Amino acid sequence: MIKHLDFSINLYTEGEKFFDVLKAIIRDSKKSNWPHERERACYAEDLFKRALETFDEAIHFAENRVQEGLCIEHDLKLIGELKAKRDYWKKKLEELSELAKC
């Protein structure tokens, strides 16, 4: 039964909205005086970091394919897009982290 509760988000197609939601939670909840809301912000920040790690894994996988000579043109384009998205959201996380530490 537990395995039926897994949930996933495709960061390539839905990442912008996912990161925007997490960004709003982090920004709004870290300012709160309520401990449970600050805990939510810390959880959202953890999800944010895990999603960025997933970006890194996808980039690494695509770079390995290029080194092996597989789907070079498509993968090069994908790598560039993934790196741009990852770098943008990494910068946003750094800005949010300055508000407060978990």
Side-chain angles (χ1 to χ4, degrees):
M1 181 176 139
I2 299 289
K3 72 178 183 175
H4 296 290
L5 293 174
D6 287 345
F7 181 78
S8 66
I9 294 173
N10 184 314
L11 294 173
Y12 187 74
T13 59
E14 299 177 282
E16 298 294 316
K17 289 180 183 179
F18 178 70
F19 283 116
D20 273 338
V21 167
L22 293 177
K23 180 178 75 170
I25 292 169
I26 294 167
R27 183 189 60 233
D28 296 345
S29 298
K30 281 192 173 183
K31 298 174 188 176
S32 175
N33 292 327
W34 297 97
H36 67 280
E37 289 185 2
R38 288 192 304 273
E39 287 176 18
R40 287 181 195 147
C42 290
Y43 180 68
E45 188 172 332
D46 182 56
L47 285 177
F48 206 117
K49 289 175 183 176
R50 288 169 40 199
L52 289 174
E53 289 171 5
T54 300
F55 262 106
D56 288 333
E57 291 170 8
I59 291 167
H60 180 71
F61 178 79
E63 287 174 336
N64 284 341
R65 287 179 52 106
V66 169
Q67 289 177 357
E68 295 170 0
L70 303 172
C71 302
I72 294 173
E73 187 177 323
H74 173 70
D75 286 339
L76 288 174
K77 180 182 175 189
L78 181 64
I79 289 168
E81 290 176 10
L82 290 175
K83 283 183 177 180
K85 288 180 180 187
R86 180 209 49 205
D87 293 345
Y88 173 81
W89 288 110
K90 206 176 255 191
K91 182 179 178 188
K92 291 295 175 190
L93 179 60
E94 289 170 6
E95 292 170 3
L96 291 168
S97 294
E98 292 175 6
L99 293 175
K101 300 290 180 193
C102 286

